[in-house]
Amino acid sequence: GLSVQRMKLDVISENLANVETTRTEEGTPYARKTVNIEAREIRPVSSFSEMYGGILDRFNEGEKAGGSMVPVAEIVEDRETPFTLKYDPGHPDADANGMVKMPNVNVIDEMVRMVTATRAYEANVTAIESAKSMFMRALEI
């Protein structure tokens, strides 16, 4: 969960950094990117060791492979939201009518997504700390 939220924050910061980018390598305005998360099937477990026994091994294998424990399907460009037009006849990318095609990034929406991802990240950290605290108390018994 932490790695997914961190990835979302990285993509949001890239979107905000390119809010005025009118020409990319493809010659088009920057298109907003989003993170699509792959669904995982949750299956019941019968024992503590089945649930937590191999978690460190799976984590280490994922890190070696350059991945994470929570699968991320892909980072995709938003092609559904249209680019906005801005009148700026002096801009190098302006058309004959003085209109410039601007990226489809809405700063307010991105800030809301950033706050949401930050809060989700904090909630995941709190859950991890609580689990760690419970495990330590269980060991003290």
Side-chain angles (χ1 to χ4, degrees):
L2 292 174
S3 62
V4 168
Q5 298 308 323
R6 187 184 72 225
M7 183 175 288
K8 283 183 179 182
L9 287 169
D10 290 344
V11 169
I12 290 166
S13 8
E14 181 181 339
N15 289 341
L16 289 172
N18 288 292
V19 75
E20 295 289 326
T21 303
T22 57
R23 188 182 311 161
T24 60
E25 291 176 0
E26 294 83 30
T28 60
Y30 176 83
R32 183 176 81 86
K33 295 180 181 172
T34 59
V35 178
N36 286 343
I37 303 169
E38 188 177 293
R40 290 179 76 172
E41 182 179 334
I42 299 175
R43 62 178 185 81
V45 293
S46 59
S47 68
F48 180 84
S49 62
E50 183 182 353
M51 178 138 182
Y52 296 105
I55 200 163
L56 187 58
D57 295 333
R58 289 193 309 271
F59 177 76
N60 289 333
E61 287 170 14
E63 288 296 312
K64 289 175 193 167
S68 64
M69 289 180 61
V70 178
V72 175
E74 58 189 340
I75 297 174
V76 296
E77 290 184 352
D78 178 8
R79 295 294 181 182
E80 294 177 13
T81 307
F83 295 116
T84 57
L85 293 175
K86 175 181 169 185
Y87 181 73
D88 187 0
H91 195 284
D93 293 327
D95 63 11
N97 297 325
M99 301 302 284
V100 179
K101 202 182 272 191
M102 299 299 290
N104 57 356
V105 177
N106 183 327
V107 175
I108 295 170
D109 289 342
E110 294 300 315
M111 293 302 290
V112 168
R113 288 182 183 96
M114 183 184 297
V115 170
T116 303
T118 302
R119 296 290 181 244
Y121 189 91
E122 291 170 355
N124 281 314
V125 168
T126 301
I128 290 170
E129 291 298 323
S130 296
K132 191 166 72 171
S133 174
M134 286 188 285
F135 291 144
M136 291 305 292
R137 287 187 187 142
L139 289 173
E140 290 172 0
I141 294 178

